[in-house]
Amino acid sequence: EMASRLQQDGGGGVRRRHRHNDNNSQSQHSQSQSVKKTKKPTTSTAAAAAAADASGELGSLYKEVAAGLALSALLSLVPGVLLSRFSATIGSVGGLMTLVPALIGMRGNVFGSLSSKLSSVVVAEGRDEAKKLWGGRGREAVQSDLDARYAIVISEMILLSLLLPLCYLAAASGGAGLHAYMQLASVCAISSLLCGVVMLKGTLELVFRSFLRGMNPDNIAAPVITTTGDLITIPAVLVGVLALHAIDSSASAMGGFLGCCVAYVLVLYARAVRSIGWADFASMVAQRLPVLTMCMGVSFGAGLALDEMIDKLAEQSASDASVAAANAFLVALSPMFNAQGGSGGGIFASRISSTLSLSVDSNDNNDSNDNNRKSDNRASALPWIPGARTLSESVVLAAAVASVMSVLCLTMIFSPLQVPVDRAVRLSVGMSTVLSFAALTAYWYSKICLVLGMDVDNAGVPMVCATMDLAASLAFLLLVG
């Protein structure tokens, strides 16, 4: 009897298990059918969400870039007015007026490169680590690299200031000698020391604060840093000229000051070597200093173009007094137009560098010692032909530049100085067209740097800024006529 009951219970249990399995199979089948039914809407929803994210990102890019360029254009009026007002004082030191655009460009090249590197680091490291880096308490490898860069950028400012007067002496036909070189080098070195301290602090504050407040420092740092260099370079040059007059251009005083500058550069280099070691220091300097020297020569060409424009406007003013005020206004506007080129190119080059740091370095963590492989991965990550994303960002950057230029056009037309309408429109449309190529220029410069195994932050950003500054200067010279 017990055996028969067990058999009955077992059979019932089997039947119950079969019914349970049948129910499970039916529920799984219904779930799979529902998944199949909802699979297509899920894909389309994901595509729509991705498109919305891309549209929102481009909108944010336009807002941040347009705001940065507008702020840059507005603040660039100040150095333009100072340049127009104190041109006689600056011109009292022979050849200094020609070097002013190169000095201004030097600030943007050196600290634009630093801001781009900082942006790449904070974006890759994240918010918490960025707070530690800002306070000097970041991871040892990253913090040591940044500390070395801080020392190197100041030393580069001084070295380039000592090399820059040689460009003028080489181009001068009057056979200027050692005393003229010491005068120019002293003024350039004084302005570089003053600007270097201020801009280093300002660059750190700008990059870290903008990132911690949820903004992309790549979109903001380049125009603001360029403008900051414009703002403080002219007053710093004036301080250098006044100091030179105060010592009555004494050869012994100038020689002693220049010797101290060289000694300070050596101290800064020793500090950088102690932070990152000789091999990394030599690699960093070998990449940066030749490129920055080349950029200095390009910026010197922009200075020659500015001199040509000032002479041209002076001749027009002498022949027709009615246009003298408008021409003076155009001279004041020249730094503003020139700054837009370097700012636009610097923004895009910095964005490319940060994108590569995120997409490539994260894939190389398991093979961080294989530098050749990392370089190959970086080069292949950026094709020669820009993709749809790059072209769309280029269009957004061009739209931001055109917006700022349109406002400048209206300002010139309706200003009390009454700049002729045809000249204002020609400047606005022409400069917008020239500067719209800043993004593509930055893209191909970055690709060339990657193919050559160079860091985009060290080499690409300065070359883009210098090239676009020269292009803006030449375009301004042609369009003013």
Side-chain angles (χ1 to χ4, degrees):
E1 183 179 1
M2 291 179 63
S4 62
R5 289 181 180 178
L6 287 174
Q7 291 177 356
Q8 291 176 1
D9 290 342
V14 170
R15 286 192 295 273
R16 284 193 296 270
R17 282 195 296 272
H18 279 301
R19 286 196 299 271
H20 181 68
N21 291 336
D22 291 340
N23 292 334
N24 285 340
S25 62
Q26 291 176 1
S27 64
Q28 290 175 0
H29 180 70
S30 62
Q31 289 176 3
S32 63
Q33 291 295 328
S34 64
V35 168
K36 291 180 181 178
K37 292 180 181 179
T38 59
K39 190 172 184 179
K40 186 174 181 180
T42 302
T43 305
S44 61
T45 303
D53 291 341
S55 177
E57 185 177 353
L58 292 177
S60 176
L61 173 64
Y62 175 81
K63 292 177 183 178
E64 292 181 359
V65 170
L69 292 177
L71 179 63
S72 173
L74 181 63
L75 296 180
S76 293
L77 285 172
V78 177
V81 171
L82 291 175
L83 182 63
S84 179
R85 173 66 178 82
F86 296 101
S87 58
T89 304
I90 297 175
S92 63
V93 179
L96 185 58
M97 182 64 76
T98 308
L99 300 183
V100 167
L103 287 172
I104 294 176
M106 186 195 309
R107 318 288 188 245
N109 295 337
V110 173
F111 288 98
S113 173
L114 177 62
S115 69
S116 178
K117 187 62 179 181
L118 286 175
S119 299
S120 302
V121 169
V122 297
V123 169
E125 293 291 326
R127 185 181 182 87
D128 294 336
E129 188 65 24
K131 291 181 180 179
K132 296 178 182 179
L133 289 171
W134 194 9
R137 297 174 287 101
R139 291 190 296 113
E140 183 177 358
V142 180
Q143 191 68 57
S144 298
D145 181 78
L146 293 183
D147 290 342
R149 288 179 184 274
Y150 302 155
I152 288 174
V153 294
I154 299 296
S155 63
E156 288 170 344
M157 293 281 287
I158 300 173
L159 278 179
L160 294 175
S161 298
L162 300 180
L163 294 174
L164 181 58
L166 297 177
C167 295
Y168 172 76
L169 297 180
S173 58
L178 179 61
H179 191 267
Y181 166 78
M182 294 177 69
Q183 285 183 318
L184 291 173
S186 297
V187 175
C188 292
I190 290 173
S191 67
S192 294
L193 286 170
L194 294 175
C195 293
V197 175
V198 175
M199 291 196 68
L200 179 58
K201 179 65 175 177
T203 301
L204 297 177
E205 293 286 332
L206 174 64
V207 172
F208 284 107
R209 286 187 183 275
S210 61
F211 177 73
L212 294 177
R213 293 187 179 183
M215 294 180 285
N216 188 344
D218 291 323
N219 299 338
I220 300 171
V224 175
I225 287 173
T226 301
T227 306
T228 304
D230 294 350
L231 282 173
I232 64 178
T233 294
I234 303 299
V237 168
L238 290 172
V239 171
V241 172
L242 294 177
L244 193 65
H245 291 330
I247 63 173
D248 199 20
S249 300
S250 171
S252 59
M254 291 188 296
F257 171 71
L258 295 177
C260 291
C261 289
V262 174
Y264 186 46
V265 169
L266 296 177
V267 171
L268 290 174
Y269 275 168
R271 177 180 175 183
V273 171
R274 188 170 62 251
S275 297
I276 59 176
W278 172 255
D280 291 338
F281 166 78
S283 175
M284 190 182 299
V285 172
Q287 282 194 23
R288 291 178 59 88
L289 194 57
V291 172
L292 290 172
T293 304
M294 189 184 307
C295 293
M296 181 184 66
V298 174
S299 298
F300 178 73
L304 294 177
L306 178 63
D307 270 357
E308 181 69 21
M309 184 200 69
I310 292 176
D311 293 339
K312 188 175 184 178
L313 294 178
E315 292 177 1
Q316 291 180 355
S317 301
S319 60
D320 187 358
S322 62
V323 300
N327 286 346
F329 183 53
L330 288 175
V331 173
L333 287 178
S334 60
M336 176 171 53
F337 280 104
N338 294 350
Q340 300 303 304
S343 298
I347 288 171
F348 207 74
S350 183
R351 287 176 61 85
I352 291 173
S353 178
S354 296
T355 301
L356 290 172
S357 296
L358 286 174
S359 62
V360 178
D361 286 344
S362 60
N363 296 327
D364 288 336
N365 288 335
N366 296 329
D367 196 14
S368 57
N369 294 325
D370 192 352
N371 295 325
N372 292 328
R373 178 181 173 185
K374 181 178 291 189
S375 178
D376 292 340
N377 288 342
R378 284 181 175 273
S380 61
L382 203 64
W384 282 108
I385 300 177
R389 179 184 176 87
T390 300
L391 293 177
S392 61
E393 290 185 353
S394 303
V395 172
V396 169
L397 182 58
V401 171
S403 301
V404 174
M405 289 298 168
S406 299
V407 174
L408 293 179
C409 176
L410 296 175
T411 302
M412 288 186 288
I413 292 174
F414 294 104
S415 67
L417 299 176
Q418 297 180 349
V419 177
V421 176
D422 62 333
R423 175 176 280 181
V425 173
R426 188 167 64 242
L427 275 172
S428 178
V429 175
M431 295 299 290
S432 297
T433 303
V434 171
L435 301 184
S436 296
F437 290 101
L440 295 179
T441 302
Y443 183 89
W444 280 307
Y445 263 128
S446 301
K447 175 63 177 180
I448 292 172
C449 289
L450 295 176
V451 171
L452 296 177
M454 304 174 72
D455 192 337
V456 176
D457 292 319
N458 290 339
V461 174
M463 265 326 280
V464 170
C465 293
T467 302
M468 292 309 302
D469 283 344
L470 178 60
S473 299
L474 295 176
F476 190 77
L477 173 63
L478 295 175
L479 294 169
V480 160

